Amino acid sequence: MSQEPMKEGFEHLEMGRFEEAESFFKSYLADYPGDKTANICFGRAVGLSGEPQKATALFAELLKEYPKDFEVQINYNESLLWAKQYQAAKPLYQKLVDEYPNNFGAILGYANTLSNLKEFESALKWINKAIALEPENASAKTSRKYIKLGYANVFVNRQDYNQGRELLEEIFLDFPEDKDALLNLANLYLISKEVGKAKTIYGRYATTPKDSVVALNGIALAEHIGENEKEALQVSYKALEKVKNLNDSILTERTSERNIQALIWNRKFLKAKKQIDTLEQHYGQPNWILALKSTLGMYTGDIKSSLANYNTILENDSTSFDGNLGKANALFASDKIVPAYRAAFKTLDIYEDQKDALSFIEKLNIQHTPTIEEHFAYTFDNGKNIAFSSNTNVQLPFSTKFRTTVSYQYRSTENTLTLNKANSHVLLTGFQYKLLPKVNVKTILGLNNSRFMEQAYTQPVLDLKLQLQPFKLQNLELGYQREVQNFNADLIEREIVMNHLGMTYNLGTNINLGWYTQLMHTQQTDDNTRNLLFTSLYYNVLRKPALKMGLNYQYITFKDQVPTIYFSPEKYRAVEVFADLRGKIAEKTNYMVSAASGFQKVEDDDQSAIFRAETSLDHQFSKRLSANVYAKYSNIASATAAGFEFTEIGLKVKWLITKKPLFYKKIAE
């Protein structure tokens, strides 16, 4: 009967009308300031209406008056949860469950505290105790659902997908076809690249018009992960059409975002840019539009604008995943390796064990980890020459800017017709230094020791290169090389040294066209000179697998013609069409097939057909060990200094000497 005057206030609390409850109990306490129940209810109303610190202070005052009172203690503890002071609440709840081991409210509060502290294993144990006390309590089941969602995410980040999946599927026992569980399960399958399973889960999710749009957006992403870009775009168009019938601004934004992403994946850059501009006029520059502009810039080579947009995203939200990892990728594309590492580390500070960030760091590590590579090759030609070569190469990156190389090559050659034999030993050391981002200098110095029958000589060799990217989608290399000709025994005998001055230039575009050109002038120690032009216009037909087709043209001229010694026409021309296909056989096995055919004309001779082909298979045995087997054939006259048709088969083995770069600890500090 004494509670009857407060019935109205209780109803306000139960219905979530916290401001009305606060007003009611404040008025009630003006008449009855010492009423404990009214004070507790007032504190709850204050805290739940958005002033948790004030509620904590009110309950702290009550604790002075009722230090052992359970109701006051548990409400004080709960006010700390409202204020997100989980560390402070944990020992208080722990003490409470020790004193009241069978109290449902105390155990539930403790489980929620542990969950907020991401101590999911303990939280799950305690929430199960609470449900054992009240098996049908909806609040406890809801808490268990969110604990399992959080705990599953921990396993997904550890790439323990089976354990994560089991936890998510357990949620369906309490909440059949729960939407949150379905979305998390679909996301798990996306991360583990089980595209078919992800699409099935999205099919289960699509039970209402709104959920159907969410599902289609997810399926579009699944198709992208499955490398089916055209289907991803078609699905995104379906979602865009359906969302027009819904009055949901947030879902409309997300659907527009997915559609533009699909356009970018399909390299429809002009259309994507036009749609981004339209959205920008309507919405301004929220982070999701800035992210789209950044993605477009990354795909089109406009890295500078992408980086600026990612920085703006982080100014708006320093914890943005797209902003942090996107910035890391943009810095990497800008050849700013140390800042790229830092941005990736920051991403992991915010998103612990995040798979994409870990993969990005691993990619940087592989590029800067000391390696040793062994290359064996066996070559034979129609001039009765056979050759065996081995080359051992060690790379030691001491920083992201400076690396050294040491290599040793042995090559033995024999002509089975003349029985002439020769061999050569080449010892090289190299240095590579990054002067500026995308400006590298490479220097290789060494000695070539060659032996022909009883004769021997040693010649210095040198290779200098300046590599740079003057403009976006362009690569330029300028170089000088001093080379000793060692293709066969007869050439080794003559001790011919070649001094090459060269330039290579590659121009890429956003319309799948590309142009590659090489110019080279060679001065030889036998007083002969050679000029070479090779140019190739190519088109990227497919991205995955990568199929490139094009047209090659080659022109060579020698000052002196000495055909009995080596191929040296006054004028040589070749035109050929080519195709190059690269893709995956399995997750860790890649293939490459390349072929070209056309016509060549040597001086005034009749045209003759040419053909060349190469194929290789590359397998990654572990993160540190890979191997590549290859074979190639060519009958093009310019393929070797001797002008012979030749075939080569070979094996390359590469091993990462250390697990991480030598400088990794310093960068990771």
Side-chain angles (χ1 to χ4, degrees), residues 384-442:
K384 303 301 180 181
N385 295 289
I386 60 173
F388 171 79
S389 66
S390 70
N391 185 26
T392 304
N393 183 279
V394 179
Q395 284 204 33
L396 296 172
F398 290 101
S399 72
T400 59
K401 290 186 176 182
F402 177 68
R403 68 177 61 203
T404 64
T405 60
V406 178
S407 68
Y408 166 71
Q409 180 185 8
Y410 171 76
R411 183 180 178 89
S412 65
T413 67
E414 178 182 0
N415 188 291
T416 58
L417 190 65
T418 65
L419 300 182
N420 288 338
K421 296 181 180 180
N423 61 62
S424 63
H425 303 264
V426 183
L427 182 64
L428 303 171
T429 182
F431 305 92
Q432 178 179 330
Y433 186 75
K434 186 181 298 181
L435 296 173
L436 295 166
K438 298 187 179 182
V439 180
N440 295 323
V441 175
K442 287 185 175 181

Side-chain angles (χ1 to χ4, degrees), residues 325 327-333 337 339-345 354-366:
L325 192 58
K327 181 178 180 179
N329 277 289
L331 288 166
F332 172 69
I337 307 302
Y341 265 115
R342 302 286 188 209
F345 291 146
Q354 207 285 325
K355 183 182 178 182
D356 293 333
L358 290 172
S359 297
F360 177 80
I361 291 171
E362 184 177 348
K363 177 176 70 174
L364 294 183
N365 286 344
I366 288 172

Side-chain angles (χ1 to χ4, degrees), residues 496-512:
I496 297 175
V497 177
M498 308 169 76
N499 293 281
H500 307 290
L501 283 172
M503 179 195 79
T504 61
Y505 171 75
N506 188 68
L507 171 65
T509 70
N510 290 318
I511 55 172
N512 295 331

